[in-house]
Each structure stands twice: as structure tokens, then as C-alpha cells.
Amino acid sequence: MGPAAVLRLGGGDVERMRAANALFAEVFDDPQSYAAQPPPDRYLRDLLADPRFVALVAVEGERIIGALAAYELRKFEQQRSEIYIYDLAVAADRRRQGVATALIDALRPIAIAAGAWVIYVQADLEDEPAVALYTKLGSREDVLHFDIAPRG
């Protein structure tokens, strides 16, 4: 079934980005990261206007039922880019209806236009629905992920 529409957010879409953050907070059960210290409008306008940041929302009417945030990473070893899907969330009542696939499909032409050679995403092993989705859409590599604090 999928969403009614998938939209790429731009500098004038601050309220939709705030709604996407609210969806991320709800779906990931992480209000501390997504809602506790919301950035000012100017910050979001600048971020959404940056062509290397991609924010997509799946909408039905005015309701955001899915959201994706991704970054273009320009490479140094070759003239090419990679697109990293940082967050992808779908409202609980709309899961397994093609919303996440529609968001990723909408990201593909953006990646091509950016000269990206790959779109990649991480998933926790325990997140079986995400692992199943990404396995369906791409090839799997098992890696370890480490967070390193900027200050030692």
C-alpha cells in the first residue's frame, strides 16, 4: 500500500522536520535524544537547506507516517559519495505496508544525482523487522560499530 506521498524536506519545512523528530522519538522510544533539546528554527532551516542532508517524510494528508534522515558523505579515495541512512522510522500502525521501502526508493534518485555509489544503513541485530527489510533491499555485511567520544 505505501504512503500517499514521499516528500523531501527543504529549508521551509521546519515544522515537518519537527514532526519527523517527534516520530523518531516515539518509534525509537527515545524522547531524550529527539525531543528534550530541540534545535532552534534557524538551525533546522540551515540543515534542511544543505544538499548533503536528506530528510524525507511519508505523508497521508497532513500526518507523517514515516521519516528518513540521511547524509551524503563525500569520499576522498575516489570522486564519489555514499549515502548513509542515519534514521528511518514508520508509525506503528503503518508498519509492513511498504512505507519504509517507499522512503528508500525515494532516496535512490537523490543518491544517483549526488554521484553516490552506495546507500548504506546500520541495524541492530535484535531489530528483526529492520534486518529483514534491509536484507530484502540490499546485501548484508556484519560489522561492529563503536562510538568514540570527541574528548578523551
Side-chain angles (χ1 to χ4, degrees), residues 67-87:
L68 179 151
Y71 296 90
E72 176 190 351
L73 304 173
R74 294 177 72 190
K75 303 301 287 181
F76 62 89
E77 72 279 5
Q78 293 185 33
Q79 186 174 330
R80 64 183 186 180
S81 294
E82 299 173 349
I83 302 293
Y84 172 55
I85 298 174
Y86 183 77
D87 278 331

Side-chain angles (χ1 to χ4, degrees), residues 9 17 19-35 47 53-58 64-72 83-91 99-104 107 119-124 127 130 133-134 145:
L9 302 184
M17 190 66 219
N21 273 344
L23 180 66
F24 290 137
E26 177 185 331
V27 168
F28 302 145
D29 191 26
D30 190 1
Q32 182 63 34
S33 295
Y34 293 93
L47 179 64
F53 175 70
V54 180
L56 301 174
V57 292
I64 292 178
I65 60 169
L68 179 151
Y71 296 90
E72 176 190 351
I83 302 293
Y84 172 55
I85 298 174
Y86 183 77
D87 278 331
L88 176 72
V90 175
V99 176
T101 300
L103 287 162
I104 292 171
L107 183 60
I119 297 169
Y120 71 101
V121 64
Q122 295 172 299
D124 294 328
D127 190 349
L133 171 69
Y134 301 140
H145 171 95

Side-chain angles (χ1 to χ4, degrees), residues 122-137 140 142:
Q122 295 172 299
D124 294 328
L125 291 174
E126 303 82 29
D127 190 349
E128 293 176 13
V131 171
L133 171 69
Y134 301 140
T135 299
K136 174 182 83 170
L137 296 174
R140 178 174 165 167
D142 290 329

